[in-house]
């Protein structure tokens, strides 16, 4: 049986199979008016335990779908607040496609055209694309990411995830202030901690949060402070932030305000200075932060593609994100904080495309670019649809006959 003869599973209605039909334009919109979309959500297997968020209004720039199509990418992003993984793509009709699946406290996300890793409240989920090249599910979706492994960690506050060159993963264990690998027998295996952390303890001492991979190895991390006491980072939110070289323990930058999501891209160390709402990079000579763009929101989650940065924005949360320089910048710009995704030109610092969420959701976390993916969807592990979504790997004896 050839790949083209392989049966394609039918995805039940409600899982994102007909997302494009739910996209709608505003009636006779003005030239600069945004489009809006209704997300398609899977059906929870247990309605009684499923969270029911308030209504979410989603709008987006007119050029977002063409931008994704022209660059042959889709975008994944997460919200621990709503417990969802979101996938943005474009359908065969050219309209924007948005699918969401339920994952409790969805946090760090990393992946490519074949696989996605997701950190959740108590586990790391590995999802595999089950479609062979050239096949479509429901005549619309070129990728269907299905959870095939769930590594239980317990509530350790998983933040960002990196994929090593050998395919194994490493992740930020924020509650225990260290980098970890999954363990076959235990909740996690620590592989590195900052020099200033004296003990692996469940105390979230420095709020270690971000991870930059370089050539398939963990290289840089971000932390809100160098505190070595329980919850000590909260008193250093304004200017205690640091970037650390994992291999040498060198402080690459300091004096940052709640930094997140360090990334090595095009020969530069990039980072989100979240407390000021700025995307920028580090000058290697002076170790100073060089801002490139201001974004109206608390930044977490950073990806790059073809001369652009993709960032996720959140509204300041009472008590933790408030009282920072970001508040003054928002007043100066006379703008309200966003919850959404922005695509920023690295050449100009301008926002070229965007997606905004209003209403029942105010915080996002991570994002990643899925190259060579047009219109993906995923099934949550506790959805009704996954019960009957069965795929069979072709056995060796069938292909040799």
């Amino acid at each position: 049986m050839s790949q083209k003869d392989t049966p394609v599973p039918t995805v039940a209605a409600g899982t994102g199979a007909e997302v494009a039909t739910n996209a709608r334009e505003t009636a006779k919109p003005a030239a600069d008016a945004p489009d809006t979309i209704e997300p398609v959500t899977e059906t929870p297997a247990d309605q009684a335990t499923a969270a029911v968020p308030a209504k979410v209004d989603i709008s987006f720039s007119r050029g977002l779908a063409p931008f994704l199509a022209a660059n042959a990418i889709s975008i994944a992003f997460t919200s621990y607040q709503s417990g969802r993984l979101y996938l943005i793509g474009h359908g065969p009709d050219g309209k924007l496609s948005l699918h969401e699946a339920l994952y409790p406290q969805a946090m760090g996300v990393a992946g490519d055209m074949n696989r996605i890793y997701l950190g959740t409240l108590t586990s790391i989920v590995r999802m595999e694309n089950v479609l062979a090249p050239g096949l479509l599910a429901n005549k619309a979706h070129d990728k269907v990411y299905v959870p095939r492994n769930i590594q239980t960690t317990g509530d350790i506050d998983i933040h960002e995830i990196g994929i090593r060159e050998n395919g194994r993963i490493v992740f930020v264990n924020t509650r225990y202030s260290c980098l970890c690998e999954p363990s076959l027998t235990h909740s996690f295996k620590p592989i590195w901690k900052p020099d200033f952390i004296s003990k692996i303890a469940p105390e979230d001492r420095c709020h270690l949060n971000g991870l930059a991979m370089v050539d398939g190895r963990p290289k840089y991390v971000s932390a809100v402070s160098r505190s070595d006491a329980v919850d000590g980072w909260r008193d250093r939110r304004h200017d205690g932030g640091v970037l650390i070289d994992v291999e040498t323990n060198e402080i690459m930058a300091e004096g940052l305000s709640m930094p997140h999501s360090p990334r090595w891209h095009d020969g530069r160390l990039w980072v989100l200075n979240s407390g000021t709402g700025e995307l920028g990079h580090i000058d290697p000579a002076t170790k100073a932060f060089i801002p490139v763009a201001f974004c109206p929101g608390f930044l977490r989650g950073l990806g790059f593609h073809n001369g652009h940065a993709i960032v996720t924005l959140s509204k300041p949360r009472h008590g933790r994100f408030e009282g920072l320089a970001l508040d003054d910048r928002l007043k100066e710009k006379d703008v309200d904080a966003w919850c959404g995704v922005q695509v920023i030109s690295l050449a100009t610092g301008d926002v070229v495309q965007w997606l905004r969420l209003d209403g029942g959701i105010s915080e996002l976390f991570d994002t990643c670019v899925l190259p060579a993916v047009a219109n993906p969807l995923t099934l949550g592990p506790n959805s009704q649809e996954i019960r009957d979504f069965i795929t069979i790997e072709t056995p060796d004896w069938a292909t040799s006959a």
Side-chain angles (χ1 to χ4, degrees):
M1 183 180 290
S2 67
Q3 284 188 337
K4 290 188 177 180
D5 294 329
T6 304
V8 179
T10 299
V11 184
T15 63
E18 304 298 335
V19 175
T21 63
N22 290 304
R24 51 182 168 77
E25 295 183 353
T26 53
K28 296 182 180 180
D32 58 349
D35 287 345
T36 60
I37 193 170
E38 292 287 346
V40 172
T41 309
E42 64 188 14
T43 305
D46 185 353
Q47 293 281 9
T49 60
V52 181
K55 177 177 173 56
V56 177
D57 294 318
I58 302 176
S59 57
F60 56 92
S61 59
R62 288 181 170 272
L64 182 54
F67 173 85
L68 298 177
N71 285 276
I73 62 171
S74 292
I75 297 173
F77 66 96
T78 62
S79 170
Y80 58 89
Q81 181 192 31
S82 64
R84 280 164 168 77
L85 168 66
Y86 299 87
L87 300 176
I88 311 173
H90 62 282
D93 58 2
K95 291 184 178 180
L96 193 74
S97 169
L98 176 61
H99 175 76
E100 57 183 27
L102 305 177
Y103 288 92
Q105 194 171 302
M107 293 282 283
V109 61
D112 56 26
M113 63 187 298
N114 298 315
R115 179 178 296 161
I116 292 176
Y117 286 100
L118 176 69
T120 71
L121 176 63
T122 60
S123 62
I124 296 175
V125 182
R126 174 176 57 82
M127 305 169 219
E128 297 288 340
N129 168 49
V130 301
L131 296 186
L135 297 182
L136 294 177
N138 291 22
K139 300 180 181 181
H141 299 277
D142 61 329
K143 306 293 177 186
V144 179
Y145 294 99
V146 179
R148 294 305 188 201
N149 177 268
I150 299 178
Q151 176 83 32
T152 303
T153 62
D155 184 3
I156 60 175
D157 202 9
I158 298 168
H159 274 55
E160 294 191 338
I161 297 174
I163 303 175
R164 292 183 182 272
E165 188 176 15
N166 62 8
R168 299 185 65 182
I169 64 168
V170 58
F171 60 93
V172 179
N173 182 336
T174 301
R175 188 179 181 191
Y176 285 81
S177 308
C178 60
L179 288 183
C180 297
E181 291 179 342
S183 168
L184 288 178
T185 55
H186 300 283
S187 297
F188 58 89
K189 176 184 177 181
I191 60 171
W192 178 88
K193 67 175 179 63
D195 274 351
F196 52 78
I197 295 296
S198 59
K199 180 183 179 182
I200 300 292
E203 297 180 347
D204 188 8
R205 297 181 175 189
C206 64
H207 204 67
L208 194 72
N209 55 46
L211 172 62
M213 303 292 289
V214 178
D215 297 329
R217 67 184 193 277
K219 179 60 176 172
Y220 304 107
V221 295
S222 55
V224 174
S225 77
R226 285 187 265 195
S227 302
D228 190 30
V230 59
D231 212 33
W233 63 273
R234 294 185 192 278
D235 299 323
R236 301 290 183 267
R237 296 177 305 133
H238 294 84
D239 57 4
V242 293
L243 296 183
I244 311 167
D245 187 318
V246 172
E247 297 176 344
T248 66
N249 286 296
E250 179 184 359
I251 301 297
M252 304 302 298
E254 56 188 337
L256 302 172
S257 180
M258 298 195 73
H260 281 79
S261 306
R263 302 287 186 266
W264 182 259
H265 174 72
D266 199 21
R268 285 178 169 174
L269 176 56
W270 294 79
V271 68
L272 301 175
N273 201 27
S274 306
T276 64
E278 294 173 315
L279 161 69
H281 55 84
I282 303 302
D283 184 323
T286 64
K287 298 186 176 181
F289 174 75
I290 310 299
V292 171
F294 169 76
C295 301
F298 190 88
L299 300 173
R300 286 172 302 187
L302 173 61
F304 293 93
H305 186 80
N306 194 22
H308 296 87
I310 296 93
V311 300
T312 51
L313 298 80
S314 298
K315 296 180 180 180
R317 188 195 317 165
H318 176 69
R320 295 196 182 187
F321 302 159
E322 291 182 327
L324 301 169
L326 174 60
D327 293 345
D328 294 331
R329 294 296 301 276
L330 291 171
K331 292 178 181 178
E332 174 187 330
K333 299 286 186 180
D334 193 22
V335 64
D336 292 333
W338 272 47
C339 175
V341 178
Q342 292 188 347
V343 180
I344 301 168
S345 167
L346 296 179
T348 64
D350 296 336
V351 176
V352 296
Q353 305 298 338
W354 54 267
L355 180 143
R356 182 168 179 169
L357 301 94
D358 292 293
I361 179 173
S362 60
E363 293 187 33
L364 304 180
F365 186 71
D366 202 7
T367 185
C368 74
V369 175
L370 302 175
V373 177
N375 189 14
L377 61 87
T378 182
L379 305 179
N382 298 315
S383 63
Q384 287 188 8
E385 291 79 16
I386 204 168
R387 294 177 175 180
D388 299 316
F389 189 81
I390 309 298
T391 62
I392 303 173
E393 183 175 347
T394 304
D396 294 338
W397 50 262
T399 58
S400 60

